[in-house]
Amino acid sequence: MKALQQIGPQHPQIRQVRHAIGNGTRGPRQLLVAEGLWAHEVLVDLDAAIDVFLWCPEAACSPVARALGAQVAARAKFAYRISPRVLGRLCDRERPEGMVSLVALPAWDAGRIDLQAEALVLVADAIEIPGNLGSLLRTLDACGADCLIITNRRTRLSHPKVFRGSRGMNLRVPVIEFGDPAGAARWLRDRGFAVFLATVGADATPYQQVAFGPRTAIVVGNERHGITPAWFGHATGEVTIPMRGRADSLNVAVSASILMYGIRERWPARP
């Protein structure tokens, strides 16, 4: 690794990282902070554009970390050296392996999302827990869904737990946001989607009995209160997952996984 300029806690790039950690960033770009060996392996694997890389060689405990640090420093737009003290003030991980990066999330244009003839979209309405949002993104990627729509947003895509929960898929899965259900429903309707609400209501149909069409959107709701009432005026129908035991509901990410895979297995496998 080439010699890097050492910077301290008052440097503008350090302040920018701290603001991103505290959700204090402003402007059109959403910035996430990646810490540690695993996170930087994901960034390299996804060929992510790294704005700022902060390197503390004293905290790199393995040859793998040192080699990866050199690789990330070479590809980052800006790379600096920091002291263990500065690293400790920035990171919430116990062993960040000397690596902290600032990365911009992709900006997806709702008018240019690439949809196939058979398309599956998940709508996350008022999801509060960052880990759940991350799990939804991870499942979307795993089952070959087309995009995530967020309505009534309660947590930021750049949250560290979203990055970890999604295994970095918040850098890969297309995500578009609408402030209210009406805008999202219009976008889906204009593209020929049938919209099904995942509920536990008595009028909901078990998902195994539903003939899902070639373009389907599934709406999942808030962990405590479910789907916001405004969505019920835009739905094709309501679907549910039969509960065989005493519990009356499932975790939102588990529910979405069951429903999306249940739909995908009826369609031909994508290449």
Side-chain angles (χ1 to χ4, degrees):
M1 183 187 298
K2 67 179 181 180
L4 300 178
Q5 176 190 352
Q6 183 146 351
I7 59 175
Q10 300 308 315
H11 191 277
Q13 300 288 24
I14 298 291
R15 291 203 299 269
Q16 186 181 26
V17 172
R18 292 174 67 181
H19 288 163
I21 292 171
N23 194 23
T25 55
R26 297 290 183 268
R29 299 198 312 162
Q30 293 192 66
L31 301 172
L32 68 83
V33 178
E35 302 175 10
L37 185 64
W38 167 81
H40 285 81
E41 288 175 336
V42 169
L43 296 182
V44 170
D45 182 60
L46 294 177
D47 196 26
I50 300 169
D51 279 22
V52 179
F53 175 56
L54 304 177
W55 172 239
C56 177
E58 295 88 346
C61 302
S62 68
V64 172
R66 288 188 285 273
L68 182 62
Q71 187 176 0
V72 175
R75 65 189 300 158
K77 185 177 181 180
F78 301 103
Y80 302 96
R81 181 169 176 167
I82 58 174
S83 69
R85 182 168 175 268
V86 171
L87 179 70
R89 292 175 63 177
L90 291 175
C91 296
D92 61 4
R93 293 177 61 86
E94 188 174 330
R95 294 188 59 189
E97 288 281 4
M99 290 177 274
V100 180
S101 284
L102 193 62
V103 181
L105 289 174
W108 301 97
D109 183 345
R112 302 181 67 180
I113 297 292
D114 185 22
L115 298 170
Q116 301 191 36
E118 288 180 327
L120 177 59
V121 169
L122 180 69
V123 179
D125 179 58
I127 298 299
E128 291 184 351
I129 300 173
N132 281 339
L133 185 57
S135 295
L136 292 174
L137 285 160
R138 186 175 178 182
T139 302
L140 276 161
D141 178 75
C143 74
D146 293 80
C147 76
L148 175 71
I149 291 176
I150 294 177
T151 56
N152 297 307
R153 180 169 60 84
R154 298 289 186 271
T155 188
R156 57 189 169 105
L157 274 172
S158 58
H159 195 288
K161 291 184 179 179
V162 175
F163 179 68
R164 291 197 289 267
S166 71
R167 305 294 287 181
M169 292 304 104
N170 58 341
L171 293 169
R172 184 177 187 276
V173 173
V175 179
I176 53 179
E177 181 178 346
F178 294 89
D180 58 72
R186 188 180 311 111
W187 187 92
L188 291 165
R189 184 172 57 250
D190 290 348
R191 288 157 180 78
F193 280 87
V195 179
F196 293 91
L197 310 183
T199 74
V200 294
D203 296 332
T205 303
Y207 77 95
Q208 304 98 321
Q209 300 175 19
V210 177
F212 294 105
R215 287 199 166 183
T216 296
I218 295 291
V219 183
V220 295
N222 180 269
E223 293 89 343
R224 292 177 293 170
H225 306 297
I227 297 168
T228 53
W231 263 112
F232 287 80
H234 301 289
T236 304
E238 298 176 40
V239 296
T240 192
I241 299 169
M243 306 298 293
R244 308 300 184 190
R246 297 289 298 273
D248 62 358
S249 65
L250 291 169
N251 171 273
V252 63
V254 173
S255 298
S257 299
I258 293 170
L259 293 171
M260 288 192 292
Y261 271 103
I263 296 167
R264 284 293 299 135
E265 69 183 7
R266 305 181 191 188
W267 296 347
R270 291 183 177 178

